[in-house]
Every structure is written in C-alpha cells, then in structure tokens.
Amino acid sequence: MIDILDRVRNKELRSRIVTAEEAAAYIKPNMTVATSGFTPSGYPKAVPTALAKRMEKEPFKINLFTGASTGAEEDGELARVKGIHKRMPYQTNKEMRNQINSGEIDYIDMHLSESAQFVRYGYMGGGIDVAIVEACAITEDGNIIPTTSMGNTASYVQQADVVIVEVNVTQPLELEGIHDVYVPLDPPHRLPIPITKPHDRIGTPYIPCSLDKIKYIVPCDVKDHTRPLGEIDDNARRMSANIIELLNAEIKAGRMPENLLPLQSGVGNVANAVIHGFVESDLKDLSVYTEVIQDGMFDLIDAGKLNFASGTSLSPSPEGLERFYKNIKEYRKHIMLRPQEISNSPEVARRLGVIAMNTAIECDIYGNVNSTHIMGSKMMNGIGGSGDFARNAYLTIFCTASTAKGGAISSIVPFCSHIDHTEHDVDIIVTEQGLADVRGMAPRERAKTIIEKCAHPDFKPMLLDYFERADAMTKHAHTPTLLPEALSWHQRFLETGTMKK
Amino acid sequence: MIDILDRVRNKELRSRIVTAEEAAAYIKPNMTVATSGFTPSGYPKAVPTALAKRMEKEPFKINLFTGASTGAEEDGELARVKGIHKRMPYQTNKEMRNQINSGEIDYIDMHLSESAQFVRYGYMGGGIDVAIVEACAITEDGNIIPTTSMGNTASYVQQADVVIVEVNVTQPLELEGIHDVYVPLDPPHRLPIPITKPHDRIGTPYIPCSLDKIKYIVPCDVKDHTRPLGEIDDNARRMSANIIELLNAEIKAGRMPENLLPLQSGVGNVANAVIHGFVESDLKDLSVYTEVIQDGMFDLIDAGKLNFASGTSLSPSPEGLERFYKNIKEYRKHIMLRPQEISNSPEVARRLGVIAMNTAIECDIYGNVNSTHIMGSKMMNGIGGSGDFARNAYLTIFCTASTAKGGAISSIVPFCSHIDHTEHDVDIIVTEQGLADVRGMAPRERAKTIIEKCAHPDFKPMLLDYFERADAMTKHAHTPTLLPEALSWHQRFLETGTMKK
C-alpha cells in the first residue's frame, strides 16, 4: 500500500482508492467501456477481472473499445463470461474469436490509426461511459503516466465521462518519460504532425487528465501477461533471408539509403526472424517506426545497430519483458511509445518512408492480400495496423509461408477469399520459395511473377493452369479471372480438407 | 508566331522553337515519355499527334506516363496507332481500354497520389527519357507556367533527361498564378506538407526547370478537347438528395461544422448533381479540396457559396471551359491547381478532413467497393484518386445507381468481382434507393443495412436470401460468405445477359 500511495502523487486523489470490485460496480449494462492496452501490454487487469466475476453472477454485456488486443485478464475474462456486445478495433483472443464467429460479438475490424478519431468524431454511438486505464503513476495534477503501451488511451481519457485508473505497482517507474502523448485536433483545426524523424518528441510524457475526471483508483499487482515467442522455423528464416537480400539490392541500386529507412514490422515469427537477420547483417544506424516493439529490437539495440525505435506498445515475450525491465535505463534511451494514431499515422509513415513488413493469410496471383479471414467467412484476428502502413510505406512487403495446414492450403490463390489490401498497395510478396517484386507491373505480368517466385511447387502447375485458362477465356483481359473457379480452391478445402485436386 | 515569341520570355530559348514533327523525331522506340495532362486538360497535343503520324509509317511503341487520362490528341492518337507498351497511372480512352483488355498495353493502375513518387523512387524502370509539357509560357529562367492541369508534370520535368515544351497559345496568360507547385523531398528528407486550409499557398507559380533541360519548344494552337457533361438524370438527383440530407443531419448532430468540411468529388454526373444540389441548398462558405474542378464548382462560386477550390485539374465541359476563360479573372481568385501528389495527398486529406464522394461500379453487401473492373476481368478506367481520398477522408461516401444495363445488373452484389476499396474504408453507400450508413457496424449488421437501404427491389429478395443462407451455413461467421455462389451473379450475367435468375 505504501507503493501505491507514492504513485498517487496528489494527496486528495488518494481518497478515491478503492478495490477492483468497488470500481467494477460502477459499470452498468450496455455501457461503453474504453481501456488502455495494445497487445497484452499496459491493459487494465484488476477491474476487468472483477467485472467478469460480477457478470458471472449477474450476466450483462458492455461494449469494449481498446487500443488493440489485450491480455487474458481483460479480453479473456470478459469473453469467458460472454460480457461483450460490441468490440473494436482488434483482438486475438481465442474465445472472443469464437464469439465473433458465432455472431455473439459484433466486432468492428478497423485500421488501428483510425479508431481514436472514429470515437472523437462521434461515429461510435453514444460516446464513452468509462475509461479504464493502467498507469505507472498519477501526477500532482491528475495527469496519468501510462505503462507498457499507449494505444488509444489518451483519446479515451479525453472522451470518457469518467476515468478509472489502475495503478500497477509491477510496472517500473522508469517508464515515466518513455511516452510521447499527442492527440491531434480534429478537422478543420488539425495541424501537421511535426514528426520528421522517428525520435522526434512532440507531446507530453503523460496523458492529460483533470483531477475531477478520475472517479476511482484501483491498485493492481498483476504483471503484463505477454505471449511467448514462437520458434523461428526454416520458412521464417528463408523469408527473412529473401527480404534482407532485397533490401541490400535496393541499397546497391541507390533506391534506399545505406542505413535503410525506418522499419515497420508486424507481430509474429517472420517479423522476428527478419529483425534477427538484421542483427547478423552488416546494416547499422537503423531506425524503427512501427506499432509494436518486440524482442528482436532489444537484440538490435544491444548489437548497437538500432538507433531508435518508435512504437505504440512494448510487446515482448515474457523473457523479453524481464530483459527490458532489467535494463530499462539503457533501453529507454532508444525507445518511445506514442498513441497509435501517431505510431500508425499515414501522414508520418509516408513522410518517413517506412519499410512495411506484414504478414498475409493469403495472397492472390494479382497481388491482393487477405489479412483477416479464413476461407472468406471466419475472422482470424483483424487488419490491425497493416493497412495504415501498407498503403503509405516507401516499400510494402507482405510475407506468408507458401502453404498452410501441412501443405493442404496454398497461400497463393487464384482469388483471395477476402481482401484487406488491394493490388494497388502491394510492392513485394515473399514466401519461403522466393520473392516477387511486382512494382511497376501490370496484372498479367504480376500473376506470372507471383506464381513463378512465390507459389509452392505442389500448387504451381495448378495456378499456372488457372491463369493460362483465365487469360485465354477472357482474351487477355486486364485481370483475367474465371469467376466460377476463382473461389473454388477454398470451397474444395472446406469440402475435402485440401485445396489439391 | 508573335504570340508564341511573347510567351517564350527567354530570348535564347526562342532558337529552340521547332515544329511538332521535328520534336517528335527525338522520340525513339521503347523510350519512356512522361507528359503533362490530367483529364483532357493541359495535355500536349501537337507532339503526340505528330508522333502518332510518324508511328503510322514506322510502327514502334513507347511507355507513356501522365497525370491521369488525357485527350484525343494524346491517348486517342497513340492508341489508334498502337504506339503504347506500358501506360500509367490512369486512362479513360475507349481504344486504349480495348488494348489494355486485349493484353496489348500493360497498364499500371495506381493511386494517383503515388505515381510521381513511384517514378522519383526509381520504381518505374529506367527513368524518364522525355517529358512533354503543355505550357502557357516559359519564364526568363526557363521555368514553365503550366496550363489547365498540374498533374505529375513538376516531378516529370524534374526526373526527365530532356523536356519538350508545347506552348499553347489558346491557353490564356491569366492562368499564370493559379498554380502552386510543390514537389516534396523524398524520404528520409521529406517534411510536413504545410497545408492546413484549402487555399494555403506553399510553392511556386511555375514548374522549376533549367534552360539547359529544354530541348525543344513547339507552338500549339489546339484547345483542350474536354468532354461534354452528361445530363443529370433522376437517379443522380436522388443520390444527390440522399447525400445532402445526410450532410445536413451530420451538421445537426454536431459531427460536422455548419459550412461542412472540404468537399472532394469524383468525376461524373452524380458528383455534378451533388454539387448542383449544394447550389440550391442553404449551405454556404463551402470549400473544396479535390482532384478535378468541374462545372458545378463554377456555379457554386457564382452563387457566392464556395470560398475556395483546390484541385489538380480544371475538367469542365466545353461550355464550362468557355465560361471559365470568359470570367477567368474572377474565378482565379477562388481556384488553385496543385500537383496531384498534393491535391490527393493522404496527409492533407486526413488533416483537412475531406468529405469524399466517389463512384462505385459495384459494392458488396459487406461494403467492399469495386471501382475499376467489369465482371472481374475487364478494366474500365482505373482507381484514380478514389483510394487516396476514401482511405483518408473524414467521411467516405460511395455512390452507384442500384442497377446497370437496364436493370440486368445489380450494383449491390454478394461479393465484388474485384475489390479496390475494402470494407475498412467505406462509411456510407448511396444509391437512388437510399443511403446505408455503416459507420461502427459489424459485417452482418452492415449487410442487412446495405441490402435494406441500397438494393433495387428486383434484387433485394435475392440478396437477402443469399445473406440468410450464408449466415446459416457459416453459423453466423463474422462475414458470412457462400464461396460457390459469391461470384455466381456475375457469371450468370456473362452467360445469360442478366444477374436475375
């Protein structure tokens, strides 16, 4: 209790310290609750857990808005008790995914950079009833020092009627100063976001909040429930090698500076493998302008190769988090956490010229990408920030292993069963088979290149056969498509368990 | 000849005045030729016509890069003689479309805001051999005063080995001062684009060019071959009324200022009808931040309702062009032409918060939009600037009549046969039947709303039947899709001439 008192620096506020159960009691059925958290980092833990317990006895639903996915104590608990009606803008929880795909949860899958402004513009219904925010500390003036993620928290605090702060004593106070909080004005008053380098500081190290707005303060001593990192497998290693070869060629051709341009990489093993590849490469003076900062970035910092990483969330593995905490004084010199509206800003991504590396579920022969749906209907996770970066990057790369489900599914298909990124937004497609550079290519040339370079040998003849028949049947139309067959590979998988004939 | 000498203000340069045939002789097979022009406005006329004549006798091909579509003397003539190998980034010419769909022309259909930087980044092959630029005049220093469009001309002049200037004596000298030429630096040196209001001037009134770079100057006395405007039909009038009703409701709800936010509208009759609707409305102090400035904007200026219109091209009807020329001294106070990289800038569109109104070929029940392809395979025109605006607007509206081909085609379909704008980018869908506001809706809710509000009564039961069966078959998956049927409506049209069963 001493620790939490120290962290609530305004004495008056200390009288609002309550238990998680007391705070959770404030939340009424059908309220819209917006929380901190982006990946299982910096999300509230005590109040959502208490709320879920209450919902077990007294079932009701709320709308839940966050930065992105959150941890077991929030998305997991609230899904377990079927406590969610509307959810935005991203999630990765298994039980929640099931409820999204059984129609129990209305899920709004949005570009992450747009979610805060969507709320501020008044597009998400009746505003925000309560914001629940994990904090390191609360300042004398009521301002909130966030923890391991920024997400949409600053906008949610601004827009909420009432704020509940979870002061998490497991989060080191050295996090203070790592955040750069900037909420743009809305049109017609918005100004340029004055970032021209990844390390530019443009805001405050805290979330502005008035003393009045803070309804309750809840102590919490539960650590971020971060996810272990998968093994880097051979496929990931090969994709990583393909990407590093490309980037070296771009430098050689004079299309990229010697220290590249700011890197953005999605979550996951391929991203991690690529970053590991950089550690072993000759590249140096690198910078990162991304969404999530993962273990590999710590390796790059340790290797003296990464000057600065700007993101909205620390998303390390459990070991990575320990490592970060242990060496936080050094790492914080190289890391900044911004609101996701800024970390994923189309304006900034295009200005800085990021190299965007994201993962596809499947990619079609013309370069359209599906990032979200399994066999057209079922939501996997969501688009996340991939669209923010892919559309605006200097170079847009999508990676996917050429097959899935032990070879039964080809990730290169005649026609994507859902499209999140159109042909207009994709420069490079990478599989473990190779790399298709489709910049400046018309669709028919793209199809030949993608099939040749990226498809698995098991599916290459089928894809070529499809393309050649489509080309002949449509008399070489711009984008030859055989409508009755375009989605037949997916249907065959649903019926027979394999896309193979 | 006196007039052209006056317009070539540097005396030394006058010795480079040659005939169109002499200038065209400079162009060699397989060269990449980049020209001014955006819609049939401000494109070179004399040299492309002479080049086409030469190609008639001595067939060869070039790559042709422009701002967007151009007029009969350029796209029309060069397509007629089959003189084009690669074409980017947009076109609307019938003969060219045929060659794109017969595989004779490789067409790169790009976001218009990205085309100039794609060239500057070195992504379009071997650079630009020749830029051909229509000008009002050339200054003492060799700088070029453009005419009725800005397009990509400034970047093409910067990147070209050699520049040929067509000085068009039919273009009034009063155009001088209407342009605002700003070419961003490329990453990692790019700075914020300092526009916070549509009328902000940030560049020069001319295209910077050195005297050395200008190889030839060609006189031209052919006027812009602009397109007549179609009649505003009942459907367009109804869509326009639906949009104006929505915007008034947004103002009333406090989600939009009294004078709205800057308007962006695509080319065509619906756009024109909407703008006409504004003329008759109570709205005032409007502003426009768009790609093309059409006749309706002159009406709005005349009515004292439009304060300022920023675009990259004047695209009036022939009568509109005459009207503009006649009253140019007044209109130029209210109009600015910028490079398309700036007029369509994601950064600026999002900052200003434009209201984006564009036309769809078809839209699916989940809100994905096809802007480019007929029945999946055949290119119509191209994506143009619709993606630049749709992704970044404050409010993104797509319009389409609910049916096409005399009712044989439903523009609301189970699954788009090609996708240019994903569900993540679409707020509002408008047909003559009604308006679907899908902001904050999950896909199943969106489907019901789009079918209910937008579909034609002839197709509504079929769409509902599809959706309900998909929903049941997939057990309420996030985006219920029946893969074997998803594209069957298009196939039925190809086979039977109607989507109806």
Side-chain angles (χ1 to χ4, degrees):
Chain A
M1 202 61 180
I2 288 167
D3 202 12
I4 171 135
L5 291 181
D6 280 351
R7 286 170 182 243
V8 180
R9 296 177 193 158
N10 179 296
K11 285 190 185 137
E12 187 199 324
L13 275 184
R14 292 179 190 166
S15 65
R16 301 184 206 163
I17 298 175
V18 299
T19 64
E21 290 68 28
E22 286 173 275
Y26 180 81
I27 295 162
K28 306 288 173 301
N30 305 316
M31 272 191 171
T32 293
V33 176
T35 81
S36 63
F38 191 109
T39 69
S41 292
Y43 57 100
K45 297 152 186 97
V47 180
T49 302
L51 178 63
K53 279 219 178 84
R54 185 180 143 208
M55 285 170 165
E56 261 181 324
K57 294 176 200 154
E58 171 202 346
F60 68 92
K61 285 182 197 283
I62 57 166
N63 301 319
L64 181 64
F65 302 174
T66 60
S69 58
T70 67
E73 299 84 353
E74 182 172 356
D75 274 346
E77 279 297 287
L78 291 171
R80 184 179 62 78
V81 299
K82 303 202 170 179
I84 297 176
H85 169 231
K86 206 164 251 213
R87 177 78 177 89
M88 81 107 175
Y90 187 78
Q91 66 76 39
T92 57
N93 180 274
K94 193 179 166 190
E95 178 53 32
M96 187 170 288
R97 180 184 305 136
N98 289 341
Q99 291 177 35
I100 288 168
N101 285 317
S102 64
E104 285 169 280
I105 294 178
D106 278 348
Y107 177 48
I108 301 114
D109 174 31
M110 297 182 72
H111 298 299
L112 293 185
S113 76
E114 296 181 4
S115 44
Q117 70 180 28
F118 230 68
V119 169
R120 294 200 310 271
Y121 293 175
Y123 289 0
M124 289 304 299
I128 294 174
D129 297 297
V130 195
I132 312 176
V133 177
E134 183 177 273
C136 268
I138 307 174
T139 71
E140 188 61 47
D141 301 320
N143 297 322
I144 296 164
I145 313 290
T147 62
T148 38
S149 67
M150 269 305 313
N152 286 325
T153 318
S155 284
Y156 290 158
V157 166
Q158 185 193 86
Q159 296 291 311
D161 294 339
V162 152
V163 175
I164 296 171
V165 183
E166 274 194 19
V167 175
N168 191 323
V169 294
T170 75
Q171 296 281 17
L173 283 166
E174 288 87 350
L175 285 168
E176 190 169 352
I178 210 172
H179 310 92
D180 185 40
V181 182
Y182 177 97
V183 176
L185 297 172
D186 291 328
H189 307 293
R190 191 172 292 176
L191 297 172
I193 300 170
I195 294 172
T196 60
K197 302 287 171 208
H199 62 260
D200 284 343
R201 177 169 280 284
I202 63 170
T204 55
Y206 53 77
I207 298 168
C209 185
S210 66
L211 290 171
D212 289 352
K213 209 168 194 174
I214 299 176
K215 178 90 182 165
Y216 295 120
I217 297 166
V218 175
C220 177
D221 61 1
V222 183
K223 283 192 181 178
D224 281 339
H225 201 115
T226 67
R227 274 185 301 238
L229 217 55
E231 278 289 297
I232 297 181
D233 63 10
D234 280 353
N235 279 348
R237 233 184 303 274
R238 279 192 211 113
M239 286 187 254
S240 159
N242 289 337
I243 291 175
I244 288 172
E245 190 185 335
L246 165 81
L247 295 178
N248 279 318
E250 291 297 296
I251 294 173
K252 219 169 179 178
R255 286 193 291 264
M256 196 81 80
E258 290 279 340
N259 66 336
L260 297 176
L261 286 162
L263 303 166
Q264 178 267 326
S265 66
V267 181
N269 293 346
V270 179
N272 209 41
V274 171
I275 300 295
H276 268 282
F278 287 137
V279 174
E280 288 155 23
S281 74
D282 294 334
L283 295 162
K284 55 184 181 185
D285 288 330
L286 299 172
S287 65
V288 162
Y289 197 85
T290 195
E291 196 176 275
V292 294
I293 294 173
Q294 296 188 276
D295 292 28
M297 315 260 180
F298 302 146
D299 296 332
L300 273 181
I301 292 172
D302 290 350
K305 288 174 176 291
L306 176 59
N307 292 345
F308 205 84
S310 164
T312 193
S313 176
L314 293 169
S315 307
S317 66
E319 308 79 55
L321 185 62
E322 286 314 309
R323 179 177 168 192
F324 170 77
Y325 282 164
K326 227 175 251 169
N327 208 0
I328 189 166
K329 281 185 186 149
E330 182 57 28
Y331 287 132
R332 51 174 279 168
K333 295 180 197 160
H334 302 277
I335 290 176
M336 195 184 286
L337 299 181
R338 310 176 183 278
Q340 66 198 70
E341 188 167 9
I342 306 298
S343 68
N344 290 27
S345 159
E347 169 178 341
V348 180
R350 186 147 165 176
R351 181 183 304 143
L352 300 184
V354 300
I355 301 171
M357 298 176 282
N358 292 287
T359 303
I361 289 175
E362 63 183 1
C363 166
D364 71 28
I365 57 174
Y366 298 115
N368 300 288
V369 166
N370 172 9
S371 297
T372 56
H373 282 68
I374 304 297
M375 302 297 144
S377 298
K378 288 205 174 176
M379 172 54 64
M380 183 70 197
N381 295 322
I383 190 168
S386 57
D388 294 321
F389 292 108
R391 174 67 62 87
N392 299 290
Y394 188 91
L395 192 63
T396 297
I397 303 170
F398 277 97
C399 309
T400 174
S402 70
T403 59
K405 291 269 171 201
I409 291 174
S410 176
S411 307
I412 309 294
V413 290
F415 197 106
C416 281
S417 62
H418 183 91
I419 291 174
D420 297 289
H421 308 285
T422 73
E423 42 155 339
H424 313 283
D425 292 331
V426 180
D427 298 324
I428 309 279
I429 292 160
V430 181
T431 69
E432 82 289 354
Q433 299 293 322
L435 178 151
D437 179 352
V438 298
R439 286 175 287 180
M441 283 188 186
R444 292 161 65 253
E445 202 179 351
R446 260 189 256 159
K448 289 177 212 163
T449 306
I450 292 170
I451 296 171
E452 171 60 28
K453 302 279 188 187
C454 295
H456 191 277
D458 285 0
F459 290 102
K460 204 179 272 190
M462 283 172 67
L463 286 164
L464 263 179
D465 170 63
Y466 170 85
F467 171 70
E468 281 163 7
R469 283 184 299 111
D471 195 34
M473 290 271 287
T474 62
K475 296 181 183 146
H476 320 298
H478 183 62
T479 307
T481 302
L482 287 178
L483 297 166
E485 277 188 47
L487 297 169
S488 67
W489 293 34
H490 301 85
Q491 184 61 22
R492 188 157 54 238
F493 174 80
L494 290 178
E495 286 169 6
T496 70
T498 175
M499 283 186 174
K500 290 178 188 162
K501 271 186 212 171
Chain B
M1 200 61 181
I2 288 167
D3 201 12
I4 172 137
L5 290 183
D6 280 352
R7 286 171 181 244
V8 181
R9 295 176 194 159
N10 179 296
K11 286 192 184 133
E12 188 199 322
L13 274 185
R14 293 179 188 165
S15 65
R16 301 184 207 164
I17 298 175
V18 299
T19 64
E21 290 68 28
E22 286 173 275
Y26 180 81
I27 295 161
K28 306 288 173 298
N30 304 316
M31 271 190 173
T32 293
V33 176
T35 80
S36 63
F38 191 109
T39 69
S41 292
Y43 57 100
K45 296 152 185 99
V47 179
T49 302
L51 178 63
K53 280 220 178 82
R54 184 178 144 212
M55 285 170 165
E56 261 181 324
K57 293 177 201 152
E58 171 201 346
F60 69 91
K61 285 181 197 285
I62 57 167
N63 301 319
L64 182 64
F65 301 174
T66 60
S69 58
T70 67
E73 300 84 351
E74 183 172 356
D75 274 346
E77 279 297 289
L78 291 171
R80 183 180 62 78
V81 299
K82 303 201 169 181
I84 297 177
H85 169 231
K86 204 163 251 211
R87 177 79 176 90
M88 82 105 176
Y90 188 78
Q91 65 77 39
T92 57
N93 180 274
K94 192 180 167 187
E95 177 54 33
M96 187 169 288
R97 180 185 305 136
N98 289 341
Q99 291 176 35
I100 288 168
N101 285 317
S102 64
E104 286 169 279
I105 293 177
D106 279 348
Y107 177 48
I108 302 113
D109 174 29
M110 297 182 73
H111 297 299
L112 292 185
S113 77
E114 295 181 4
S115 45
Q117 71 181 28
F118 230 68
V119 169
R120 293 200 311 270
Y121 292 175
Y123 289 0
M124 288 305 300
I128 293 174
D129 298 297
V130 195
I132 311 177
V133 178
E134 183 177 273
C136 268
I138 308 174
T139 71
E140 188 61 46
D141 300 320
N143 297 322
I144 296 165
I145 313 291
T147 62
T148 39
S149 68
M150 268 305 313
N152 286 325
T153 319
S155 284
Y156 290 159
V157 166
Q158 184 194 86
Q159 295 292 311
D161 294 338
V162 151
V163 175
I164 296 171
V165 184
E166 275 194 19
V167 175
N168 190 323
V169 294
T170 75
Q171 295 282 16
L173 283 167
E174 287 87 351
L175 285 168
E176 191 168 349
I178 210 171
H179 309 93
D180 186 41
V181 182
Y182 178 97
V183 176
L185 297 172
D186 291 328
H189 307 294
R190 190 172 292 176
L191 298 172
I193 300 170
I195 294 172
T196 60
K197 301 287 171 208
H199 61 260
D200 283 343
R201 176 168 281 285
I202 63 171
T204 55
Y206 53 77
I207 297 168
C209 185
S210 67
L211 290 170
D212 290 352
K213 209 169 195 175
I214 299 175
K215 178 90 182 167
Y216 295 120
I217 297 167
V218 175
C220 177
D221 61 1
V222 182
K223 283 192 181 178
D224 281 340
H225 200 116
T226 67
R227 275 184 300 237
L229 217 53
E231 280 288 296
I232 297 180
D233 63 10
D234 279 352
N235 280 348
R237 232 183 304 272
R238 280 193 211 114
M239 286 188 254
S240 159
N242 289 338
I243 291 175
I244 288 171
E245 191 185 334
L246 165 81
L247 295 178
N248 279 318
E250 291 297 296
I251 294 172
K252 221 168 178 181
R255 286 193 291 263
M256 197 81 80
E258 290 279 339
N259 66 337
L260 297 176
L261 286 163
L263 304 166
Q264 178 268 328
S265 66
V267 181
N269 293 347
V270 179
N272 209 41
V274 171
I275 300 295
H276 268 283
F278 286 139
V279 173
E280 288 154 23
S281 75
D282 293 333
L283 295 162
K284 55 185 180 182
D285 289 330
L286 300 172
S287 65
V288 162
Y289 197 85
T290 195
E291 194 176 275
V292 294
I293 294 172
Q294 295 188 276
D295 292 30
M297 314 257 182
F298 302 146
D299 296 333
L300 273 180
I301 292 173
D302 290 351
K305 286 173 177 292
L306 176 60
N307 292 345
F308 204 84
S310 164
T312 192
S313 175
L314 294 169
S315 307
S317 66
E319 308 78 54
L321 186 62
E322 285 313 309
R323 180 179 167 190
F324 170 77
Y325 282 166
K326 227 175 250 170
N327 207 2
I328 189 166
K329 282 184 186 152
E330 183 55 27
Y331 286 131
R332 50 174 278 167
K333 294 180 198 160
H334 302 276
I335 290 175
M336 195 184 285
L337 299 181
R338 309 178 184 276
Q340 66 198 71
E341 189 167 8
I342 307 298
S343 67
N344 290 26
S345 159
E347 168 177 342
V348 180
R350 187 149 166 174
R351 181 182 305 144
L352 300 184
V354 300
I355 300 170
M357 298 176 282
N358 292 286
T359 303
I361 289 174
E362 63 184 2
C363 169
D364 70 28
I365 57 174
Y366 298 115
N368 300 288
V369 167
N370 172 9
S371 297
T372 56
H373 283 67
I374 304 298
M375 302 298 143
S377 298
K378 287 205 174 175
M379 171 54 64
M380 183 70 197
N381 294 322
I383 191 168
S386 56
D388 294 321
F389 293 107
R391 173 67 62 88
N392 298 290
Y394 188 91
L395 192 62
T396 296
I397 304 170
F398 278 96
C399 308
T400 174
S402 69
T403 60
K405 291 270 172 200
I409 291 174
S410 176
S411 307
I412 309 294
V413 291
F415 196 106
C416 281
S417 63
H418 184 92
I419 291 174
D420 297 289
H421 309 286
T422 73
E423 42 155 339
H424 313 283
D425 292 332
V426 180
D427 298 323
I428 309 279
I429 293 161
V430 181
T431 68
E432 83 289 354
Q433 300 292 322
L435 178 150
D437 179 352
V438 298
R439 286 176 287 180
M441 283 187 185
R444 293 161 65 252
E445 201 179 353
R446 262 188 254 159
K448 290 176 212 163
T449 306
I450 292 171
I451 295 170
E452 171 60 27
K453 301 282 187 184
C454 295
H456 190 277
D458 286 0
F459 290 101
K460 205 179 271 191
M462 283 172 68
L463 287 164
L464 263 179
D465 170 64
Y466 170 85
F467 171 70
E468 281 163 6
R469 284 184 298 112
D471 195 34
M473 290 270 289
T474 62
K475 297 181 181 145
H476 320 298
H478 183 61
T479 308
T481 302
L482 287 178
L483 297 166
E485 277 187 48
L487 297 169
S488 66
W489 293 35
H490 301 86
Q491 183 62 22
R492 188 157 55 240
F493 173 80
L494 290 177
E495 286 169 7
T496 69
T498 176
M499 283 186 174
K500 289 179 187 161
K501 271 185 210 168

